Amino acid sequence: MAKRSRLTKQTIHQMFANFAANDPEPQGELDYVNEFTLLVAVVLSAQATDVGVNKATRSLFEIAPTPELMYGLGEEKIRDYIKTIGLFRNKAKNVYALCKELIEKHNSQVPQTRDELEALPGVGRKTANVVLNIAFGHPTIAVDTHLFRISNRTGLAPGKTPLAVELLLERIIPKEFLLHAHHWLILHGRYICKARKPECYRCIIIDQCKFKDKVLEP
């Protein structure tokens, strides 16, 4: 059974109202030119930084912004473009196979359901949720390490697994904030609520947070 939030409904609403007031239209930090390149970028971002992925894909997306063009490069050339990214050999293999499946099974279009996305090579639940949210406007929540940490640290959505946290967040976040919720939480974890030393002294949700060991000075 999923745990409950340690925060009240009123506190949760205020937390996300603060996020919305501070950044009404949060954006992901991966560069892309269309739904297909977004999918590829998210696949490549596993265990890699967005900055590193953007550097590697800039030239790749210029010459291969469609499944046909990228498949036409071949696995070896794809590998050459992304060799600065961690796990690049396996990722190149997945991207090449992903392009083939998009062409043969989906008329070169990125599918709009989680099940179809997760059936593609290299695509897991988190990747599917990111694509559904950014490309198609679904109110999905992609739980990465930052979001998992924040959800547990603040008391917002305690959970032992990413899936447990995701399902609890979907249940407790007010509907008006669901579309942007995962971006707010990920960006907050990346830049404010850091793993080793959270910068609580400049946190906009400090009054809602249940974390006991707040860092109140730089």
Side-chain angles (χ1 to χ4, degrees):
M1 184 176 177
K3 290 185 178 181
R4 295 183 177 183
S5 176
R6 294 173 57 209
L7 310 181
T8 65
K9 287 184 178 180
Q10 183 179 5
T11 300
I12 293 169
H13 191 281
Q14 186 60 56
M15 175 183 285
F16 284 94
N18 290 356
F19 282 136
N22 182 66
D23 187 6
E25 297 288 335
Q27 302 293 321
E29 296 184 319
L30 286 171
D31 294 337
Y32 62 96
V33 296
N34 54 29
E35 294 160 2
F36 166 67
T37 54
L38 170 65
L39 174 60
V40 172
V42 181
V43 167
L44 296 177
S45 70
Q47 299 182 52
T49 66
D50 288 359
V51 172
V53 172
N54 290 340
K55 287 181 180 178
T57 57
R58 192 169 295 121
S59 298
L60 176 62
F61 291 166
E62 284 181 2
I63 66 163
T66 68
E68 291 86 354
L69 289 170
M70 194 165 294
Y71 185 71
L73 289 177
E75 182 181 333
E76 188 174 337
K77 280 195 175 181
I78 294 172
R79 189 168 63 236
D80 288 342
Y81 275 100
I82 66 169
K83 61 187 177 183
T84 57
I85 302 174
L87 307 175
F88 69 94
R89 289 184 178 85
N90 193 53
K91 289 178 180 179
K93 182 179 180 180
N94 282 333
V95 168
Y96 183 67
L98 179 154
C99 292
K100 187 174 189 288
E101 288 208 17
L102 288 178
I103 294 166
E104 295 180 352
K105 297 182 180 180
H106 299 283
N107 196 31
S108 298
Q109 301 299 307
V110 176
Q112 298 189 35
T113 70
R114 184 186 281 122
D115 287 345
E116 288 177 306
L117 284 166
E118 286 193 57
L120 295 170
V123 178
R125 186 179 181 91
K126 184 178 75 172
T127 295
N129 282 345
V130 173
V131 173
L132 289 171
N133 181 272
I134 297 176
F136 304 117
H138 294 202
T140 50
I141 296 176
V143 180
D144 72 347
T145 55
H146 299 299
L147 202 151
F148 185 78
R149 178 176 69 255
I150 283 186
S151 296
N152 280 281
R153 178 183 275 171
T154 63
L156 174 63
K160 293 184 178 180
T161 67
L163 181 59
V165 168
E166 176 189 336
L167 296 178
L168 181 52
L169 287 171
E170 286 182 344
R171 198 170 80 236
I172 64 173
I173 295 174
K175 288 185 178 180
E176 66 199 274
F177 300 123
L178 261 178
L179 179 61
H180 295 313
H182 97 270
H183 275 133
W184 284 321
L185 292 171
I186 287 171
L187 292 171
H188 193 70
R190 186 173 290 168
Y191 297 111
I192 305 294
C193 197
K194 300 174 183 179
R196 293 185 178 180
K197 193 174 182 181
E199 299 179 5
C200 307
Y201 49 88
R202 63 189 192 97
C203 175
I204 61 171
I205 60 166
I206 189 171
D207 292 336
Q208 291 78 49
C209 176
K210 290 283 189 180
F211 184 50
K212 292 181 180 180
D213 301 319
K214 291 185 174 69
V215 180
L216 301 177
E217 295 181 355

